[in-house]
Amino acid sequence: MNESLNSLSKILYDWKDVVYHHLPKLFLAAIVFIVFIFVAKIARKISFAFYSRTIKKYTDAAYLISTVIYFFLILSGTIIALQVAGLEIMLKHVLAGAGVVGVVAGFAFKDIGSNFFAGLLLKIQRPYKKNDWVDIDGNYGVVLEIGSVTTKIKTVPGQEVFVPNQNVYNNTFTNYSSWRKRRIILETGVSYGDDLEHVRTVALDEVKNIKHYLPNEGVDFYYTNIGGSTYNFMLRFWVQFDSNDDYCRGMNDAIMQIKKRFEQENISIAYPVTTLDFGVKGGINIFDKPIQIKE
């Protein structure tokens, strides 16, 4: 019985000693942590207001900077409070554990982090914006939304595609709306019997009648090669571009109007044919004599 009382008395005495020595430290640590919380909130508000005025176009960047400052102050307050409370050993274990967790989380959320920072760069650099026509990673369509992790595109067939933002910086992409114009390239060919200079004159003249044609950008006409049964040429011109329909209409008008004009000018849009030449040395022309059919 006496041993039990002595043991209990020793425990109470040790507890009293611990409380006596550590309670003031814990109280002071709590005050330090609370002060850092208030300072962090004030710093976040001030920094957000400052950077919002400085970089007005990039409010997301201002929010990110203010948030980083806030969490930095909170983390600093936590470390200082633990040191004031005399819990340095516990702090070392916490930091070691946080390092391990950070490594694991880094591997687990690597792609998410890459997409997030790519999204931040997109909002700062702005290589494209909402309603622009783009081709990203083989997905051609109009931009509906630029998110923090993905960019939402409505493709020409009508599907919504979510493209990871890191694909923009990992690969090349095209913004067709940057200049608000787009080049149409029409490639076809004419027969061997057509006057090539006349073909060129007619094609260049007909381009001027195409709707949304931009005359100040000029027109290019080049013969590209001699095919098996054609003289192939390439016709290039610019049209106003606000949507993919403008490009499709420009190509459609070019094909229809040039075909119609070629027919009027007796110009043949050639297609693969096989020519039998009986007029070579030692040959005969089957059309020199009427064809007779014997019964």
Side-chain angles (χ1 to χ4, degrees), residues 145-179:
E145 182 182 352
I146 304 174
S148 299
V149 178
T150 61
T151 294
K152 183 164 67 173
I153 297 175
K154 184 178 181 180
T155 61
V156 174
Q159 285 79 29
E160 288 188 359
V161 178
F162 294 84
V163 181
N165 288 331
Q166 65 176 340
N167 287 1
V168 176
Y169 292 98
N170 290 339
N171 304 286
T172 58
F173 75 95
T174 305
N175 185 351
Y176 291 96
S177 299
S178 296
W179 295 347

Side-chain angles (χ1 to χ4, degrees), residues 11-22:
I11 292 173
L12 293 175
Y13 180 80
D14 293 339
W15 180 81
K16 177 183 176 182
D17 186 62
V18 170
V19 172
Y20 177 78
H21 285 89
H22 291 281

Side-chain angles (χ1 to χ4, degrees), residues 82-222:
L82 289 174
Q83 289 178 340
V84 170
L87 301 175
E88 292 87 352
I89 298 177
M90 177 182 177
L91 177 61
K92 292 179 181 179
H93 289 296
V94 170
L95 292 177
V100 174
V101 173
V103 171
V104 175
F107 282 105
F109 300 102
K110 177 175 64 68
D111 291 336
I112 295 177
S114 298
N115 287 320
F116 176 79
F117 283 106
L120 179 61
L121 289 176
L122 285 177
K123 293 182 180 180
I124 294 176
Q125 188 181 12
R126 294 185 180 273
Y128 55 81
K129 59 184 182 298
K130 186 179 179 181
N131 296 326
D132 279 357
W133 283 84
V134 298
D135 187 344
I136 304 175
D137 197 21
N139 298 288
Y140 174 66
V142 61
V143 177
L144 298 180
E145 182 182 352
I146 304 174
S148 299
V149 178
T150 61
T151 294
K152 183 164 67 173
I153 297 175
K154 184 178 181 180
T155 61
V156 174
Q159 285 79 29
E160 288 188 359
V161 178
F162 294 84
V163 181
N165 288 331
Q166 65 176 340
N167 287 1
V168 176
Y169 292 98
N170 290 339
N171 304 286
T172 58
F173 75 95
T174 305
N175 185 351
Y176 291 96
S177 299
S178 296
W179 295 347
R180 295 299 175 190
K181 62 182 180 180
R182 186 169 176 183
R183 202 172 205 176
I184 291 179
I185 301 176
L186 176 62
E187 296 180 285
T188 184
V190 294
S191 67
Y192 287 156
D194 291 309
D195 184 346
L196 299 186
E197 188 62 35
H198 182 56
V199 170
R200 182 178 185 276
T201 301
V202 170
L204 292 176
D205 183 63
E206 197 60 33
V207 169
K208 301 175 183 178
N209 300 323
I210 295 175
K211 189 177 181 181
H212 299 308
Y213 159 68
L214 301 177
N216 295 332
E217 301 297 333
V219 185
D220 297 326
F221 182 99
Y222 301 104

Side-chain angles (χ1 to χ4, degrees), residues 188-194 228-233 262 267-273:
T188 184
V190 294
S191 67
Y192 287 156
D194 291 309
S229 56
T230 62
Y231 291 111
N232 298 320
F233 68 84
F262 276 12
I267 298 173
S268 300
I269 297 178
Y271 51 88
V273 296

